[in-house]
Amino acid sequence: MLSLKPELKSNPKGVLEPYITTLQSESKMARKQAFQKINYEIFENPLSEGCDFTIIFPEIYAYVLKGFSDPSEGCREMSIVIISNFIEHLPLNDYYLTYILPVIVRRIGCAEIVEESEEVRLLLIELVHKILIKYKNTQLLTSFFNDFTSILTKTSTDPFPKVKLETCECIILLSKIIDREFHLQCESFIKPVLSNFAHQHFRVRVAAIRAIGAIVISGNAKCFELSITPMAEKLFDENTQVRMQVTLEVGNWMMKYKDRYSFWHRMIPLMLTSLSDVMADIRTTAIKLWSEIGLQYLEENEEDLKKKLDFLKDVPTHYPDVKRPNFGCRCLVQTNIGKIVPAIGKEMDGWQSDARLRVAQLLCWLVLCAEEGATQHANAIVKILMRGAADEDARVVLEIKRAAELFGYFIMPETWWPLLEADVDGWPALTVITNILKGSKPELVKGKVMKELCKELADPDRCRVRKPKYQSNLVHVTEALMSLCGQDCAPVYEDLFIINFTVYAMPYDDKMQFLALSNLDKLRQLEDCGRTLTTLYDKHIRRILVDITSDALTWTLLTPDRCLLECVLLNAGYAMGSQLHLLAPLLRECLATPQVDPEVKLKVFTALSTVLLRRQTNFSKCDTDKLESFLKIVIEEIIVPNLVWAPGRTAEAIRTAAAACLCSALQDDPQTCLDDKGADGDANDKKVNLFPSKECLEPLLERVVPLVCAAADDNSALTRQHALRAAACLATLAATRGCFTSELLHKMYFVVLKRLDDSSDKVRSFAVRTVRTLFSQRPRPYDTVVFGAHVDALYSAMLIHLDDPDEEFRKEMLAALIALSDVDPHLLIKKVKANIHLYRNKAAYESLSSNIENMLK
């Protein structure tokens, strides 16, 4: 062994001959050991140190390279190791590569995979990588470019991920070493590398992106065209490192790619998309790169941009709450936005929600960077905004709203309003307008645009639409306008009121109604007209009533005019007092016309009843003459005709509503929700009486009493209840005004007495109360001699019911008899004692007798 060193130097073939001979053995174990011995003797044996490898290589390479195709995997591995060691130790000379690379090509660079072992293929590509690293600073690899191309284009599609990773590194290195030849052949690398973009391992995808970045930098325009779309798609990759690599490569292209000025419009969208990535690291990297790109562009075009730079302004006072991109970035986008916007429009019509989200985010950055430069493309941008506003994905809509707000910062209202004016019938346009207003300057909006916008939205065909999205956007538009312009909205106060009151009157749901009510309160504050909404209604409610023009015969429960009328009746408060001349014809048309939808009539009757009950508020500021005329129409033309009996259940329901309405009108002092407070919260000293004098009431009594008596015998128990209440109210009111005569009393009481035998317990209870009220309000003096028969009939009917099976009813009857015993106590005590032995409820009769006797003492 001590003599081996000089022998290897002087006669390498003689030293290695035994091992070379063993390589011909049929035993794969022997061949493998021979390869191991060869590797040891040449590279690992300490005695071989200082050997001339240029002499050893010619003697051994043929046998070692033959081992690349050995049937044994172990032998192939060892032969590759030996060649790899030779590459490491041999001097730089393309002579060696002429033998090595063709063998590698045959193993892993052919159309079909010759090398079946993944591990061996990995060793081979690592050998290629070592060759590239060894010869990277020489020109010796140029003649072997086709060999490298064959190898790397094939191994790019290798099934083994580690081979793919190593291949990508080799391609990146090759593109730098042989740049001229690579430029000519670069297209052949694109498709094989792009096939790895869909690989399941993210590291492979990252490596492929790096390789594509290098290929494009060294390649021609076609390489860019083939690569840019797949690169854009990788911005949707779920892995953060993949998206980061795309950002880095695109940034590199934008700064170093020779033909970048031809492709700004293709690269800018990718970089701006990264600015909106969900990961902060990617956003930070993209912002840094984008800023550097802008500064470089500015430096490269300093002469062309000199005039603009001289007049460059500071950040405008009216600017979004974000950092302004540098001047170079803004110029880049302004120059290329015309080519980018159409592509965004096409993508916004795509079926993938994630893609639509990304282009919506891209639009935000485009508008921010383009600033006023987006004006000439406003039409296309507005169409994209409207399409995005109607998107089903809430994320897209949110980004579109941000884009619209940014659009409002930079684009003049006289530019965007004509583009949106024709589309205000649709809610997407309203969404866009709402958010544009948020970014607009108030002094630019408050003139023509504000007036035309409000005029369009206040049109009945628009503001009376009961669609949830349209209604909500109507409310949001007016809210945005009021927030923007404040008291400068004065010319459109009435239009704003009409829009919001209409939504309030016919909301899609409670939330919508609340939003509309909030807007009305905001409008009240802007107008500074009082402390409650009633003061606002007082100024504008007339326009609402004037606009109710449709025929009541066409109304249904959902008809806008009906909803508006009901809302006015229930909410206007004292504001309706000055508009009674408009309300009366509407009520007459709706309630006095027999053919009107019964459901509509019932709704309006209910609202009218509420109005009459709240008279202390509703009519507190009304002229007496107007109120008298209004009441005359309500009683004579609305209530009275509807009290007349007609067959059918519908007519029965209407009679019930009319009777209830009559009760509301006749109550002398109804409970009000404001408890004697005016609509502004101030004390209200004026007391409203619907029938203030005898002269007002007497004509009513002549017409109403017969109808009330008839209604007390109606089929509907509810109608009978209301009729009995109305009779009691009439008696009380007439007695107060001094026109309750004995004749009226006698007309009414007998009808009421019959109701003591009613099938409804509630009607019977009302009958007791009513008969008690009638005789309590009897005219004084009341001649019991002349009217003895009536008193006798009264007492007889009531006494019988002291034995009623219902205990509560008996108690009510006893209380009523005690209260009415003063009509003719002598007659009553006589009737009680005459038949006391016949009654079962002796306790009640004894109590009644006791009370009468105490009265007579």
Side-chain angles (χ1 to χ4, degrees), residues 193-450:
V193 176
L194 286 179
S195 67
N196 296 316
F197 272 33
H199 198 275
Q200 61 181 347
H201 293 175
F202 80 88
R203 289 185 178 84
V204 173
R205 300 199 297 275
V206 170
I209 290 167
R210 288 184 62 235
I212 285 293
I215 293 168
V216 169
I217 285 290
S218 302
N220 55 32
K222 189 172 181 181
C223 289
F224 181 89
E225 292 285 357
L226 292 170
S227 303
I228 190 67
T229 300
M231 287 287 274
E233 291 172 354
K234 286 297 101 183
L235 286 174
F236 295 89
D237 198 282
E238 62 183 11
N239 187 273
T240 303
Q241 294 184 41
V242 173
R243 301 198 304 277
M244 174 68 87
Q245 195 61 47
V246 173
T247 304
L248 292 170
E249 296 304 328
V250 172
N252 191 44
W253 291 352
M254 295 179 77
M255 297 183 73
K256 296 180 180 178
Y257 183 48
K258 295 176 183 178
D259 201 20
R260 60 185 178 276
Y261 277 75
S262 301
F263 297 107
W264 285 127
H265 65 286
R266 303 292 297 276
M267 295 185 288
I268 288 172
L270 274 67
M271 181 55 63
L272 296 186
T273 300
S274 293
L275 293 174
S276 301
D277 198 274
V278 294
M279 296 301 295
D281 290 348
I282 297 177
R283 294 198 302 271
T284 303
T285 302
I287 289 170
K288 182 181 177 183
L289 287 171
W290 180 231
S291 179
E292 291 173 357
I293 291 161
L295 293 173
Q296 179 177 302
Y297 179 82
L298 192 60
E299 185 179 339
E300 292 171 351
N301 299 272
E302 188 174 359
E303 289 298 321
D304 296 337
L305 301 174
K306 191 174 188 316
K307 289 184 179 179
K308 291 183 179 180
L309 282 169
D310 290 341
F311 296 97
L312 189 62
K313 298 178 182 179
D314 294 330
V315 178
T317 53
H318 184 73
Y319 194 80
D321 188 20
V322 293
K323 184 179 179 181
R324 192 184 192 193
N326 64 51
F327 183 65
C329 295
R330 302 202 300 275
C331 289
L332 259 177
V333 173
Q334 289 168 6
T335 306
N336 293 277
I337 188 173
K339 297 177 181 178
I340 300 173
V341 168
I344 291 178
K346 291 180 181 178
E347 200 67 42
M348 191 59 76
D349 290 325
W351 62 272
Q352 289 184 314
S353 60
D354 285 344
R356 298 197 302 274
L357 173 63
R358 286 306 183 95
V359 295
Q361 293 170 335
L362 170 60
L363 185 61
C364 293
W365 281 103
L366 271 183
V367 174
L368 180 66
C369 294
E371 296 187 356
E372 292 82 0
T375 301
Q376 58 185 327
H377 307 287
N379 188 21
I381 293 174
V382 164
K383 289 180 179 178
I384 294 170
L385 291 174
M386 286 198 292
R387 165 65 185 84
D391 201 281
E392 297 176 355
D393 193 325
R395 301 173 301 164
V396 176
V397 176
L398 182 62
E399 294 301 327
I400 286 295
K401 288 179 178 179
R402 288 180 58 236
E405 184 174 346
L406 292 169
F407 189 78
Y409 274 99
F410 305 115
I411 309 301
M412 304 291 281
E414 55 265 27
T415 300
W416 58 258
W417 169 239
L419 301 175
L420 287 160
E421 184 177 7
D423 295 301
V424 292
D425 288 330
W427 62 266
L430 297 187
T431 301
V432 174
I433 291 172
T434 299
N435 290 279
I436 288 178
L437 288 174
K438 291 178 181 179
S440 298
K441 290 183 180 180
E443 58 268 23
L444 299 177
V445 174
K446 67 183 182 182
K448 178 184 176 184
V449 171
M450 179 177 71

Side-chain angles (χ1 to χ4, degrees), residues 14 548 629:
I548 299 177
S629 300

Side-chain angles (χ1 to χ4, degrees), residues 58-125:
E59 298 294 336
I60 197 71
Y61 78 87
Y63 306 104
V64 177
L65 288 176
K66 186 179 179 182
F68 276 36
S69 56
D70 193 281
S72 169
E73 182 178 330
C75 294
R76 297 199 301 275
E77 286 180 358
M78 281 309 304
S79 63
I80 294 168
V81 169
I82 294 170
I83 293 298
S84 180
N85 287 330
F86 268 119
I87 291 296
E88 187 177 333
H89 291 88
L90 285 169
L92 295 172
N93 193 324
D94 57 356
Y95 163 77
Y96 311 112
L97 301 182
T98 57
Y99 297 104
I100 297 171
L101 284 175
V103 177
I104 298 176
V105 170
R106 285 196 296 272
R107 297 305 297 174
I108 59 173
C110 297
E112 297 295 329
I113 296 178
V114 176
E115 179 55 64
E116 297 178 352
S117 170
E118 291 181 342
E119 288 76 11
V120 175
R121 293 200 302 274
L122 179 59
L123 286 173
L124 287 169
I125 196 64

Side-chain angles (χ1 to χ4, degrees), residues 534 568-569 572-581 583-584 587 607-628 630-631 634 664-665 670 672 674 678-679 684 686-691:
T534 310
V568 170
L569 292 172
Y574 73 76
M576 75 173 71
S578 58
Q579 309 301 331
L580 294 181
H581 62 291
L583 276 171
L587 291 171
L608 179 57
S609 297
T610 305
V611 169
L612 296 173
L613 282 172
R614 297 175 179 172
R615 68 186 66 153
Q616 300 302 332
T617 300
N618 294 340
F619 305 134
S620 61
K621 297 188 179 181
C622 179
D623 294 339
T624 305
D625 294 342
K626 288 185 178 180
L627 179 57
E628 210 170 296
F630 173 75
L631 199 61
V634 169
S664 300
T672 65
L674 295 178
N684 180 19
K686 178 180 177 182
K687 184 173 178 64
V688 177
N689 290 314
L690 297 183
F691 306 98

Side-chain angles (χ1 to χ4, degrees), residues 805-819:
D806 188 339
E807 183 179 352
E808 289 299 320
F809 186 73
R810 292 199 303 269
K811 289 180 180 179
E812 284 188 77
M813 186 59 74
L814 176 60
L817 275 167
I818 291 172

Side-chain angles (χ1 to χ4, degrees), residues 1-47:
M1 295 297 292
L2 294 174
S3 61
L4 181 62
K5 182 175 180 180
E7 291 179 5
L8 184 61
K9 284 182 179 181
S10 58
N11 185 16
K13 185 174 182 180
V15 174
L16 299 175
E17 185 67 32
Y19 309 127
I20 293 172
T21 304
T22 308
L23 290 177
Q24 314 304 317
S25 171
E26 293 184 0
S27 169
K28 61 181 179 180
M29 183 60 70
R31 296 196 304 274
K32 181 177 180 181
Q33 288 175 352
F35 278 121
Q36 289 172 342
K37 288 290 185 180
I38 291 172
N39 185 63
Y40 174 80
E41 293 296 346
I42 298 173
F43 303 109
E44 296 178 5
N45 194 333
L47 299 177

